[in-house]
Amino acid sequence: MAIDAIVLNEADNVATAVQDLKAGQEASVRLNRLLNTIGIKEDIPYGHKFAVKPVRSGDDILKYGEVIGRATADIAVGCHAHVQNIESMRGRGDLGKGA
Amino acid sequence: MEFMGYRRSDGTVGTRNYVGVLSAVVCVNEVVEGIVRQVQGTARFTHHQGCCQTPLDIGLVNKALKGLGCNPNLHSVLLISLGCESTNLEEVIAAIRASGKRVEHLAVQETGGSARTIAQGVLLAQEMVGEASRRQREPFPISNLVMGMKCGSSDTTSGLVPNPAIGVTSDLLVAAGGVSILGEVTEFIGAEHILIRHAANETVAQGILKLVERMEKRAMAVGEDIRGGQPTGGNIKGGLTTIEEKSLGAIAKAGTAPIQAVYEYGERPTVKGLVVMDSPGREPEILTGLAAAGANVIVFATGRGAPQGFPFVPVLKITGSRTAAEKMSDHIDMDLSAVIDGGDTIPDAGQRILEELVRVASGAMTKAEISGYVNSMDIYMLGPVI
């Protein structure tokens, strides 16, 4: 069965769309053998991410079970998670270089 | 799990059994071609280096040729030189002989030109192939597999399916006592702080950071900052948000095993488990580096479909894109798109890659081998041609 989005690690709070998704639709989201349905709130283009858990501003964004950035605004489940609400933690003087 | 391989006297195990015909220098590539074309059972290694280079780069040429000659997939080696190259032939020959392999050497200027060298080389290679072909495959545990990893011609699906699936394969191989080599240092940039969390110890962590810093400095020395503008506009349009995310997609191939050691380009790992090797991302140089490090199999994740193979190490092409699997069917070995549009999962796909790898290691031919698209090779250079 075709799925709409994939979650790569159980710790992740975002899924990646593998189809173009439309606001208002129900998306089938898979994490290995688990299949969930999530209501999509905004259009999500193929390859883009959306929140699968509620994200508060300042929270870490997790994909592959690793931090890929930090939320700069609250992101509701089913909403587009991208450059408009996520910032990189790299090259930041206040965070220091490396680990 | 076991595969059927060729026992070598230095304790390594080959998945192929070729007589390697190696160029010592760019100038004799045509002689090597002339020999290989006429003798079944040989595999070539030609390249563009070995003369008019900095001492550092000549050192890399020596190291690469030694490593390639010692690769377990070669039964024996015929080295062709010109006679005036910078490559240190004595050092290369001695190192390959020390691995227990027969090494023959012809210098074109001594033998008397290309026609005579090709003729003598053909006769020598025929005899060597006769010897090699008497060797039989025997069962060996997969702890004897040394798996090189690579991704190329990537797209959105690469980071979602084949790279994480290869990460599972790598974890399984490492758990079974094998070796898995992660290269493509360029792709660590932005995720090195995450990668070093997988380092087995502080020395390894510092080694990884040093490789990344060196790669960045090298790019900056020619007036470029490869970190600038990452992720690119195209990446962002495609859905990648941060440099961390982009790099994580590539290093997902490393799985979850601890990184045991960091090696220079073409250096053979002396430990088991997951290791990192300095190398760029471009196919000819990384495939050569992996082969020189002793990889007897290579897995290659692709999104759009990359055709490259290597002359004597099987390269297994894996995609998560149904489009690539269909359009590039003569190059793609495994279609994992069912993870996206079927009932497949990444852990299952990773297990299947390992099973296919065992079949390939035992002699099943890859698409690159069948099509003969196997000549993606060259030695990595750090300095200019002078």
Side-chain angles (χ1 to χ4, degrees):
Chain A
M1 189 194 103
I3 55 165
D4 298 313
I6 187 166
V7 178
L8 292 160
N9 187 289
E10 58 195 354
D12 294 359
N13 47 16
V14 291
T16 306
V18 293
Q19 321 278 349
D20 282 322
L21 305 178
K22 292 282 164 217
Q25 80 167 91
E26 296 281 300
S28 62
V29 180
R30 189 135 61 109
L31 164 62
N32 294 328
R33 284 192 181 73
L34 292 173
L35 204 57
N36 271 315
T37 304
I38 284 179
I40 298 298
K41 307 268 189 356
E42 295 175 288
D43 289 355
I44 315 288
Y46 167 82
H48 286 234
K49 296 174 293 299
F50 57 90
V52 291
K53 295 174 186 170
V55 175
R56 311 287 296 177
S57 181
D59 283 357
D60 287 339
I61 302 296
L62 287 120
K63 182 180 172 185
Y64 300 103
E66 302 277 6
V67 178
I68 62 160
R70 186 163 58 191
T72 54
D74 293 352
I75 313 170
V77 171
C79 285
H80 193 204
H82 200 22
V83 288
Q84 76 282 5
N85 49 24
I86 300 173
E87 63 179 1
S88 173
M89 316 259 289
R90 287 299 304 239
R92 299 278 305 270
D94 53 330
L95 301 174
K97 194 183 172 192
Chain B
M1 265 174 124
E2 288 189 327
F3 71 103
M4 298 295 289
Y6 294 96
R7 183 187 300 276
R8 303 297 179 208
S9 54
D10 63 351
T12 59
V13 178
T15 67
R16 296 295 182 268
N17 191 43
Y18 290 108
V19 171
V21 184
L22 276 48
S23 279
V25 62
V26 55
C27 320
V28 297
N29 286 346
E30 278 143 293
V31 175
V32 169
E33 301 282 349
I35 296 167
V36 168
R37 206 164 33 229
Q38 298 181 63
V39 189
Q40 300 301 309
T42 55
R44 82 198 66 190
F45 181 77
T46 55
H47 56 95
H48 296 95
Q49 326 300 357
C51 194
C52 304
Q53 292 181 275
T54 63
L56 184 66
D57 280 341
I58 291 299
L60 274 180
V61 171
N62 294 333
K63 189 154 74 174
L65 288 175
K66 284 190 268 188
L68 291 165
C70 292
N71 186 289
N73 289 2
L74 296 182
H75 166 270
S76 47
V77 170
L78 172 56
L79 182 70
I80 306 297
S81 68
L82 180 58
C84 55
E85 56 280 316
S86 308
T87 311
N88 187 331
L89 300 177
E90 291 76 27
E91 191 186 314
V92 170
I93 291 169
I96 305 172
R97 282 211 177 113
S99 77
K101 288 189 214 297
R102 174 178 174 188
V103 182
E104 298 292 343
H105 169 223
L106 292 173
V108 174
Q109 288 166 348
E110 279 167 33
T111 311
S114 60
R116 286 190 187 88
T117 312
I118 291 172
Q120 282 196 31
V122 164
L123 292 168
L124 259 174
Q126 283 178 354
E127 188 213 323
M128 292 162 86
V129 169
E131 220 172 73
S133 71
R134 295 186 178 278
R135 300 300 303 273
Q136 303 281 312
R137 286 187 185 266
E138 302 167 50
F140 287 96
I142 59 170
S143 55
N144 290 288
L145 288 181
V146 179
M147 177 177 84
M149 298 184 285
K150 155 90 190 122
C151 58
S153 198
S154 301
D155 72 1
T156 305
T157 60
S158 303
L160 294 179
V161 183
N163 287 349
I166 286 173
V168 172
T169 311
S170 175
D171 284 350
L172 292 169
L173 181 61
V174 165
V179 178
S180 161
I181 308 175
L182 179 71
E184 299 173 298
V185 169
T186 336
E187 318 231 315
F188 299 175
I189 297 174
E192 66 268 33
H193 62 299
I194 294 163
L195 199 57
I196 60 174
R197 271 188 241 134
H198 299 272
N201 55 53
E202 186 54 29
T203 313
V204 170
Q206 289 306 319
I208 292 169
L209 292 176
K210 211 180 95 189
L211 289 190
V212 174
E213 194 190 337
R214 208 164 64 181
M215 184 70 80
E216 274 186 271
K217 277 192 179 152
R218 215 176 282 153
M220 282 158 75
V222 290
E224 298 288 341
D225 180 359
I226 46 182
R227 182 181 279 181
Q230 289 281 10
T232 64
N235 290 152
I236 291 172
K237 211 173 158 200
L240 290 174
T241 307
T242 61
I243 179 69
E244 293 96 309
E245 181 183 11
K246 180 178 177 174
S247 294
L248 271 167
I251 65 168
K253 295 194 294 296
T256 59
I259 301 166
Q260 300 293 349
V262 177
Y263 292 102
E264 292 292 334
Y265 179 78
E267 203 178 343
R268 178 172 293 207
T270 52
V271 297
K272 293 285 192 179
L274 174 66
V275 301
V276 161
M277 180 186 80
D278 185 23
S279 68
R282 196 167 72 162
E283 281 77 5
E285 287 84 357
I286 185 177
L287 294 177
T288 298
L290 292 170
N296 49 16
V297 285
I298 294 172
V299 288
F300 190 135
T302 184
R304 295 174 57 85
Q308 301 92 335
F310 191 78
F312 51 87
V313 183
V315 179
L316 188 71
K317 292 278 165 44
I318 302 162
T319 191
S321 159
R322 170 131 311 165
T323 312
E326 283 168 2
K327 283 179 95 167
M328 298 287 280
S329 63
D330 57 332
H331 300 291
I332 306 285
D333 295 286
M334 293 188 80
D335 172 8
L336 303 183
S337 59
V339 171
I340 289 173
D341 54 19
D344 204 3
T345 67
I346 285 166
D348 286 355
Q351 172 70 37
R352 280 213 318 287
I353 295 172
L354 183 66
E355 287 160 9
E356 185 61 16
L357 204 60
V358 166
R359 284 189 284 270
V360 165
S362 303
M365 290 173 86
T366 60
K367 292 278 179 75
E369 288 174 296
I370 293 166
S371 63
Y373 210 109
V374 292
N375 294 319
S376 188
M377 52 190 163
D378 216 336
I379 300 169
Y380 184 34
M381 285 171 58
L382 302 174
V385 172
I386 48 182

